[in-house]
Amino acid sequence: MGNQTEALNYFNQALPIRREVGDRSGEATTLTNIGLVYNALGNRTEALNYYNQALSMRRDVGDRSGEATTLNNIGLVYNALGNRTEALNYYNQALPIMQEVGDRPMEANTFNNIGTVYYALGDRTQALDYFNQALAIKREREVADRPGESTTLSNLAAVYRDTNQPDKAITYWEDSLNILLELRGELQKEFRETFLQTYGGPAVALVDLLIDQNQPQRAFEWANRVTTYELADYNRLIGVRVANPEAQAALDDWNEQSQQVQALRQQLRDNFSTDLVDQMRDLEAQVNQQAETLANTYPEVAELFEIQPEDLSQLQTILPPGNRCLTTRSPHKYPKRSQHDRPLSPQPRQSQG
């Protein structure tokens, strides 16, 4: 949830208990997780301190998988510090251990991370090779790491963009974003509004590239799809079905109330009265509040409220020729990149515990 202070608070409560009961393996896990928090806070020195404590303990207890995880995370810190040689050193120590113990998800993460080092060093050929190895593993049925797959697809796209292969870059970024949109569809509304802000790099890069490639309509569609929208006209939900029985029951109740609003509107057209207007407004406010509650409670309903490609087509038809329009009631706008920002670079992957 991004609350690093509270995470640190709980890890620091766990650590002395691990030590008290003599759980050396658990102590190493907690030390590693404390290191993750400090790394997220940008305190690389403290992150390295905790990782190195964890690494020594992992080796003492013979935890080979944990040792490889910690080596990978130390590599991430050195990469963030710009020390590519040390980053590669730790990644290359981690990789054979992961292969030895059969930890395929971590092996994929390390391949991805080695790719980011070679990218930073300007070796796009080596970066491409490692990213492709990572992607193949992430797509294995036994691994099925969808967030990791999205990251590596975006990393591949960055390489193709930089090697003047825009069509491939666009395809890989679109594939990456489709996964992110799929993952967002599983979130409740309060998290949906910040999810793509956290993972917004591929969206910005794709839209910028599409504009550079003189594809404004495609850029328009993606800019809208990755912005959190709530459509004012909830009528499109009438008659829809969702898999969750509890959500469906709530949606059925909302449908009934919504249809009453439609009936009052019809009555107003036939026989206007101020009392009827007040009645309709009260019920309409109730229906809108009910819709808000539904979106906050059930991810599948929140997903229905998001703007879809067919909505974009309809929206585009009402705009004057040559115009492009982004409209949202959410405070989280599409993050435009300034001319001073660096283009998106490949992203590493860290691992917990």
Side-chain angles (χ1 to χ4, degrees):
M1 294 172 66
N3 191 334
Q4 311 297 346
T5 304
E6 275 299 277
L8 202 56
N9 172 34
Y10 281 96
F11 288 142
N12 281 324
Q13 290 182 63
L15 190 59
I17 301 173
R18 299 280 204 188
R19 288 169 173 164
E20 178 187 332
V21 300
D23 181 1
R24 298 272 286 167
S25 180
E27 182 180 349
T29 296
T30 304
L31 287 167
T32 298
N33 289 338
I34 292 173
L36 287 171
V37 174
Y38 278 115
N39 193 43
L41 291 169
N43 190 335
R44 314 298 183 194
T45 303
E46 277 297 271
L48 279 177
N49 173 34
Y50 280 94
Y51 285 151
N52 281 318
Q53 290 181 62
L55 182 60
S56 176
M57 205 165 293
R58 301 280 203 191
R59 287 170 170 165
D60 285 347
V61 300
D63 179 2
R64 296 286 280 165
S65 181
E67 179 185 351
T69 296
T70 308
L71 287 165
N72 175 76
N73 289 342
I74 292 173
L76 282 169
V77 175
Y78 280 114
N79 195 33
L81 292 169
N83 190 335
R84 314 300 180 193
T85 304
E86 274 299 272
L88 272 180
N89 172 36
Y90 279 94
Y91 291 147
N92 285 323
Q93 289 182 63
L95 192 58
I97 300 174
M98 292 164 189
Q99 292 167 339
E100 172 194 324
V101 300
D103 190 339
R104 297 289 278 169
M106 272 301 303
E107 182 183 353
N109 282 350
T110 304
F111 275 132
N112 179 83
N113 295 346
I114 292 173
T116 66
V117 174
Y118 280 114
Y119 180 94
L121 293 171
D123 190 337
R124 302 296 193 256
T125 302
Q126 282 281 68
L128 198 63
D129 177 53
Y130 280 98
F131 289 147
N132 277 319
Q133 290 183 71
L135 183 64
I137 296 173
K138 290 173 186 294
R139 285 176 165 173
E140 290 175 0
R141 182 177 299 178
E142 297 77 12
V143 177
D145 177 8
R146 298 291 278 164
E149 182 182 347
S150 175
T151 297
T152 301
L153 285 166
S154 177
N155 292 347
L156 284 161
V159 175
Y160 286 125
R161 174 199 60 194
D162 297 347
T163 54
N164 199 28
Q165 299 179 72
D167 290 344
K168 283 188 176 181
I170 288 167
T171 297
Y172 277 91
W173 265 323
E174 287 183 334
D175 288 347
S176 174
L177 285 170
N178 278 325
I179 292 173
L180 289 178
L181 289 169
E182 175 188 319
L183 295 171
R184 186 182 68 170
E186 300 171 3
L187 300 177
Q188 290 185 322
K189 183 186 172 188
E190 61 180 306
F191 300 114
R192 297 167 68 83
E193 293 183 354
T194 57
F195 178 78
L196 284 178
Q197 295 296 314
T198 303
Y199 299 100
V204 175
L206 173 60
V207 170
D208 284 350
L209 181 58
L210 288 168
I211 292 171
D212 290 343
Q213 294 299 306
N214 196 27
Q215 298 185 47
Q217 179 62 30
R218 203 165 167 187
F220 167 82
E221 290 173 0
W222 275 108
N224 279 277
R225 286 190 69 193
V226 298
T227 306
T228 299
Y229 276 81
E230 298 167 13
L231 300 184
D233 183 7
Y234 295 118
N235 293 335
R236 72 200 202 100
L237 273 77
I238 293 177
V240 302
R241 309 294 298 177
V242 295
N244 181 346
E246 182 180 318
Q248 185 61 56
L251 194 55
D252 288 343
D253 182 60
W254 176 86
N255 276 326
E256 185 178 333
Q257 297 283 337
S258 184
Q259 287 165 18
Q260 289 180 33
V261 171
Q262 297 301 325
L264 285 173
R265 283 177 180 158
Q266 184 59 48
Q267 288 181 46
L268 273 171
R269 281 191 286 267
D270 297 339
N271 187 18
F272 180 86
S273 76
T274 54
D275 287 343
L276 205 55
V277 168
D278 290 340
Q279 185 181 347
M280 189 200 73
R281 284 179 177 168
D282 288 344
L283 185 56
E284 193 172 47
Q286 181 181 328
V287 166
N288 287 339
Q289 181 56 54
Q290 193 175 3
E292 187 80 6
T293 302
L294 278 169
N296 285 330
T297 307
Y298 304 106
E300 51 270 78
V301 177
E303 179 71 7
L304 291 170
F305 283 4
E306 297 294 334
I307 197 162
Q308 301 294 328
E310 57 268 24
D311 301 307
L312 290 171
S313 298
Q314 185 178 8
L315 175 62
Q316 189 64 60
T317 60
I318 66 174
L319 296 175
N323 283 301
R324 298 291 180 268
C325 177
L326 305 181
T327 58
T328 178
R329 293 195 291 139
S330 166
H332 301 285
K333 308 291 186 184
Y334 167 75
K336 290 301 293 177
R337 176 168 62 82
S338 81
Q339 61 180 344
H340 304 293
D341 290 338
R342 294 175 57 197
L344 180 72
S345 295
Q347 302 300 305
R349 296 279 295 172
Q350 63 183 8
S351 299
Q352 291 181 315

